[in-house]
Amino acid sequence: MLESLPVYLSVLFCLTTIATVILLQWTILGADSRFTKKKAGTAALILTLWMILQGILAFKNTYNTDTNSLPPKIILFGILPMVIAIVSLFVSVKGRVFIDGLPLENLTYLNLIRIPVEIGLYLLYLNKAVPEIMTFEGRNFDILAGITAPFVAFYGIKKGKLSPKLILAWNVICLALLINIVFIALLSSPSPFQKFAFDQPNIALPTFPFVWLPTLIVPIVLFGHLVSIRQLLRKI
């Protein structure tokens, strides 16, 4: 934990993380498929345990020590397991049944969480905990996904005003925005991969509670886009 940061920043990221999990639960419970709905409790338990584990690792300074390790520890113990979990859902029969039952409208609203995330990153930049390049004043335009999500969800999906092709294009663009900030954050962090922001590096995200952004929030948003893209491709 970075003790020099204002308490409200920690509170903001804690609330944002909890809101992300709640939105995902709302998405699962909103499914028409009984099979998908039944997995809400399991998903909540797994995500809660994962949050606790990542919190413990961050408290023990696992991710911000030995910054020269390859691969960086946060990738090995924080991000890679979530990527493997997502891939396993797409390659297993039961996993595909689960994700195909998720409602596209709710998956789209899930992107609203990107608004408080980007506000939080900007406040971290003002407190010299992340570089400007990671904010909407730099090269991070991810907030556009959060701003446009309600329009796409309500008018595009619920009201049917947008074609599946346009909604697919929106998801692809927003996925690209997400990948963009992920790589910027990685290349701005103290590690052998660092290419940017040597004067004000990304020192916040490996610490508690900001560690939940790369290890929980980003994977959930990534999951939402991949599921949406799969569903839309099947409609076209």
Side-chain angles (χ1 to χ4, degrees):
M1 181 179 289
L2 298 175
E3 296 180 357
S4 59
L5 292 178
V7 174
Y8 70 81
L9 274 174
S10 295
V11 172
L12 173 62
F13 272 85
C14 285
L15 293 176
T16 301
T17 304
I18 293 170
T20 305
V21 175
I22 291 174
L23 279 171
L24 181 60
Q25 287 298 106
W26 171 68
T27 299
I28 297 172
L29 291 170
D32 291 329
S33 166
R34 185 179 178 185
F35 175 82
T36 300
K37 276 186 177 180
K38 287 173 63 177
K39 301 301 179 182
T42 302
L45 177 61
I46 292 173
L47 292 174
T48 300
L49 293 175
W50 182 248
M51 285 175 60
I52 293 171
L53 174 61
Q54 292 305 312
I56 292 172
L57 290 174
F59 265 119
K60 290 188 174 182
N61 294 317
T62 302
Y63 296 143
N64 55 9
T65 56
D66 189 18
T67 55
N68 290 320
S69 63
L70 278 174
K73 292 179 181 178
I74 195 167
I75 293 179
L76 189 60
F77 302 120
I79 298 173
L80 184 60
M82 289 294 279
V83 172
I84 293 173
I86 292 171
V87 170
S88 67
L89 287 173
F90 279 82
V91 299
S92 67
V93 175
K94 288 185 177 181
R96 290 194 297 271
V97 173
F98 168 73
I99 62 179
D100 288 342
L102 295 172
L104 183 61
E105 181 183 349
N106 295 37
L107 286 167
T108 305
Y109 276 120
L110 182 61
N111 290 282
L112 280 167
I113 207 65
R114 293 157 91 159
I115 296 176
V117 165
E118 296 309 317
I119 293 173
L121 285 176
Y122 183 71
L123 293 173
L124 284 172
Y125 156 64
L126 294 180
N127 284 274
K128 303 187 183 303
V130 301
E132 182 183 34
I133 196 174
M134 284 179 58
T135 73
F136 44 72
E137 285 197 347
R139 299 183 190 176
N140 178 8
F141 308 105
D142 199 60
I143 196 170
L144 296 175
I147 293 172
T148 55
F151 173 81
V152 175
F154 184 75
Y155 291 102
I157 300 172
K158 186 172 183 177
K159 297 295 184 180
K161 301 295 185 180
L162 298 177
S163 69
K165 287 185 178 180
L166 282 176
I167 300 171
L168 174 62
W170 179 83
N171 271 280
V172 171
I173 292 170
C174 292
L175 178 58
L177 292 175
L178 182 68
I179 294 172
N180 172 63
I181 181 53
V182 167
F183 275 98
I184 290 175
L186 175 62
L187 297 177
S188 300
S189 302
S191 76
F193 298 140
Q194 187 173 7
K195 300 296 181 184
F196 310 128
F198 289 96
D199 55 333
Q200 186 174 322
N202 169 23
I203 60 172
L205 298 194
T207 65
F208 180 84
F210 314 107
V211 70
W212 286 331
L213 175 55
T215 63
L216 184 73
I217 298 175
V218 168
I220 287 177
V221 174
L222 170 65
F223 171 74
H225 278 310
L226 294 178
V227 174
S228 298
I229 289 170
R230 171 181 164 84
Q231 290 186 8
L232 289 162
L233 284 174
R234 298 177 72 187
K235 291 182 179 180
I236 296 174

